[in-house]
Amino acid sequence: MSFPEEVIRKLQTAERIVVLTGAGISAESGVPTFRDAQSGLWANYDPEELATPQAFRRNPRMVWEWYMMRREIIKKVKPNPGHFALAGIEKRVTRFLLVTQNIDNLHRLAGSENVIEIHGNIQRTKCFDEDVVIDTWDTTDDVPPRCPRCGGMLRPDVVWFGEMLPSGAFEKSAEAVRNCDVFFSIGTSSLVYPAAALPYEALNNRILSIEINAEATPLTVHVDHHFRGPAGEILPQLVAAAWRA
Ligand code: OAD
C-alpha cells in the first residue's frame, strides 16, 4: 500500500500521537470482534443478556461462565503485527498514548506501555458490590465465586453497557487527543459511546486524523485519511514507510 506524502511527513515530525483501538486490531490474533456478522461474539449471544449489570443480577452464573470462556480464549492468543507496530511507534515519538476499548491485554503483551483500557481488562476480577479489584479468593462451589472481604459476588473488571468508564479514563484520553499531532482510530466500528466521541475531539481541533479499518464506519467520511484493510498488514507498512531511515 502506498501512503500520502502528507501522512508520512506528519508522522516523521510528530511529537505526540494518540491511537484509539477496538476489537478489529485483535481480529488477526483470533479474538472475535463484537459486531462482524460472521464471527462476532454478538452474533451468537445477545449482549443485553450478558454484558449488563442487570443481566448479571438476573443470571450471575451464566454471565460469569461466559466471561470465563472468553478469558480462556484470550489467554491462548498472541499479539499480531498490528499490536507490535503500535508498540514500535511508541518508541519513536516523544509522547504516545494508546486508548483501547479491548479488554484482552494484547497491547501490553506486545510491549505498549502508555495504555488506557477504557473498557477494563478481562483478566482482572472485582467485587460486584464494593467495586474493588480482588486478586485472590477461596475456591468453593460458588459460581460466581464470593468476595473474600464482603461475601458479595465477584465479576470481571470490564465495563458493561450502562456503566461508567473507569474514573478519569475518558477525560485523560480526550485531553491527550486534543493535544496531539496525529490521531488514529484503528479497528473500531465507532458506534459505542463515549469511546466513539474521542475522534471528534481530534476533528474539532483540526488534528490530522487517520482511520484504519477493514470496512467503512460512521467515522470514515470525517477523517483526513482512511486506509481500508487489515490493521496487521497496514500498520507495519505504515511504520516502515514513515521511519524507514
Ligand atoms: P466492533 O466489533 O464493533 O467493531 C470491530 C471493527 O473492526 C469493525 O469496524 C470491523 O470492520 C473492524 N475490523 C475487523 N477486522 C479488522 C482487521 N483485521 N483490521 C482492521 N479492522 C478490522 O468492535 P469495537 O468497535 O471494539 O464494549 O466495539 C466497541 C465496544 O462495543 C467494545 O469495546 C465492547 C462492545 O460492546 C463493551 O463491552 C463495553
Side-chain angles (χ1 to χ4, degrees), residues 34-238:
F34 291 97
R35 293 182 178 78
D36 286 344
Q38 300 303 314
S39 59
L41 286 170
W42 284 177
N44 300 321
Y45 301 94
D46 179 355
E48 299 299 319
E49 284 301 315
L50 298 157
T52 68
Q54 294 80 357
F56 186 69
R57 274 198 202 94
R58 225 171 20 241
N59 198 338
R61 171 183 276 269
M62 180 179 75
V63 174
W64 175 264
E65 288 181 342
W66 188 70
Y67 274 95
M68 288 307 104
M69 180 267 288
R70 293 185 67 192
R71 197 181 263 189
E72 289 312 307
I73 296 175
I74 285 168
K75 259 191 202 157
K76 293 190 190 102
V77 299
K78 295 192 173 62
N80 68 57
H83 297 106
F84 288 116
L86 291 177
I89 296 176
E90 182 167 5
K91 293 189 175 57
R92 289 173 167 95
V93 292
T94 316
R95 294 182 70 176
F96 180 88
L97 176 65
L98 183 48
V99 183
T100 188
Q101 299 165 83
N102 300 344
I103 56 176
D104 58 26
N105 211 33
L106 290 179
H107 285 303
R108 286 189 202 277
L109 283 178
S112 288
E113 287 176 12
N114 199 20
V115 182
I116 297 183
E117 294 169 316
I118 48 173
H119 290 167
N121 188 313
I122 195 172
Q123 304 300 355
R124 276 196 315 264
T125 298
K126 67 178 181 180
C127 174
F128 185 66
D129 293 335
E130 296 174 296
D131 202 29
V132 293
V133 172
I134 300 292
D135 294 319
T136 51
W137 55 87
D138 290 338
T139 345
T140 62
D141 290 337
D142 291 328
V143 183
R146 295 280 161 177
C147 172
R149 292 158 48 107
C150 74
M153 291 187 290
L154 294 183
R155 57 164 282 183
D157 188 7
V158 299
V159 175
W160 282 333
F161 290 102
E163 290 187 318
M164 305 280 285
L165 300 189
S167 167
F170 183 83
E171 295 71 13
K172 204 174 155 199
S173 303
E175 166 85 15
V177 173
R178 282 193 293 273
N179 291 296
C180 71
D181 303 311
V182 183
F183 171 79
F184 285 92
S185 171
I186 304 175
T188 171
S189 57
S190 295
L191 292 171
V192 175
Y193 284 78
L198 285 175
Y200 295 95
E201 298 283 337
L203 295 169
N204 293 339
N205 287 281
R206 299 180 192 285
I207 289 157
L208 188 83
S209 304
I210 302 168
E211 180 182 64
I212 300 178
N213 198 301
E215 292 169 12
T217 75
L219 182 67
T220 310
V221 294
H222 300 292
V223 290
D224 298 298
H225 300 276
H226 65 269
F227 305 124
R228 187 75 57 84
E233 290 175 24
I234 294 173
L235 276 168
Q237 290 176 34
L238 186 59

